[in-house]
Amino acid sequence: MIDWRGAARGAWQGTRKGPTVTYGLIAACCLLFVVSPVSGVNPVYGTGDALLAAQGEYFRRWGVVPVELTSGEPHALLTPLTALFVHGSWLHLLGNMLFLYVFGAMAEERMGPAGFALFYLSTGYLALLGYAVAHADSEQTLVGASGAISAVLGAFLFLFPRARVTSLFPFLLFLPLRFPAWIVLIFWFVLQWLAARAAGPGPGVAYLAHVVGFSVGFLYAWGCYRGGDRVKAPAAATEGESQP
């Protein structure tokens, strides 16, 4: 379980009790989702058509609209940051937060809280910007933390290549199997790359943002930590799914 009280106490006392940035990001995403019109539990936004209208406005205001971002509109320049805290459904939120919880803690411990926070926000921005540039004429709104979380996966691959992860693969009847992180993450990256090649700019999963985020995250870790110690011995098992 997440030690929320320990994390909060560590932040208050100025000492770190666990990966406080990772926990803070998870808490922020969950809180903002619950109070948003997308969760469907906030009575302020009403029901039916009123709720749908509020959801559409919420996505347009805080999400990335590629045609607006690439045209240089001042408001749009901030949306690759705000979109990292916006999710389109409960499943979207829970899937992303699971991956952030599993892989973010070790990455934060290696980078430090300030370094990890800067890494997460900057790579997330670049991932969504990369998608927007590739689909500059698209008016479809892009939301979610998966670009930043993909960057975390890329950094994790470089920093902890032999850490063992437990994954669920649909074509293996969802059996939980343990593999070295480098096998799972490279397999995941190839799937994202193939899906990105087949995907268009319309509604759906922004696989290209995953590819850009993962690549930027890996290159960042390679550039910043290639001269330092990497975790080459098998580390404690982590758990995840096959798709963030």
Side-chain angles (χ1 to χ4, degrees):
M1 295 179 62
I2 300 177
D3 182 9
W4 297 106
R5 290 182 296 180
R9 185 167 55 251
W12 175 260
Q13 296 174 346
T15 59
R16 189 164 66 92
K17 302 292 185 181
T20 54
V21 172
T22 298
Y23 295 167
L25 289 170
I26 293 173
C29 287
C30 291
L31 177 61
L32 291 173
F33 181 82
V34 170
V35 301
S36 78
V38 187
S39 68
V41 301
N42 191 337
V44 172
Y45 299 102
T47 59
D49 292 339
L51 179 60
L52 292 176
Q55 291 174 350
E57 177 60 27
Y58 178 72
F59 290 139
R60 285 190 296 272
R61 181 175 183 181
W62 302 112
V64 174
V65 180
V67 69
E68 296 179 0
L69 179 59
T70 55
S71 66
E73 295 187 18
H75 164 73
L77 295 177
L78 291 176
T79 56
L81 287 179
T82 59
L84 296 177
F85 299 90
V86 178
H87 290 84
S89 67
W90 283 99
L91 184 61
H92 188 202
L93 172 73
L94 295 175
N96 276 345
M97 294 306 99
L98 173 63
F99 267 76
L100 180 56
Y101 173 69
V102 169
F103 293 98
M106 291 178 65
E108 180 183 345
E109 183 175 352
R110 182 67 177 86
M111 297 179 184
F116 181 74
L118 179 62
F119 165 81
Y120 183 90
L121 295 175
S122 59
T123 56
Y125 190 104
L126 291 174
L128 299 185
L129 178 63
Y131 179 91
V133 170
H135 301 290
D137 297 328
S138 174
E139 297 182 358
Q140 295 292 333
T141 306
L142 179 63
V143 299
S146 55
I149 295 170
S150 297
V152 173
L153 300 185
F156 192 96
L157 174 61
F158 181 83
L159 296 173
F160 308 102
R162 295 183 61 184
R164 300 186 69 83
V165 296
T166 302
S167 297
L168 304 178
F169 292 93
F171 57 85
L172 294 177
L173 303 179
F174 293 96
L175 293 175
L177 301 175
R178 294 180 63 195
F179 296 98
W182 70 268
I183 294 178
V184 175
L185 294 177
I186 290 177
F187 177 76
W188 177 87
F189 176 78
V190 170
L191 289 181
Q192 305 306 301
W193 180 72
L194 293 174
R197 294 189 60 186
V205 179
Y207 293 105
L208 181 59
H210 298 175
V211 172
V212 174
F214 188 96
S215 302
V216 171
F218 183 87
L219 291 174
Y220 175 91
W222 177 80
C224 293
Y225 298 99
R226 58 179 172 173
D229 294 331
R230 295 167 65 191
V231 178
K232 297 181 179 180
T238 56
E239 295 183 3
E241 296 178 339
S242 59
Q243 172 68 37

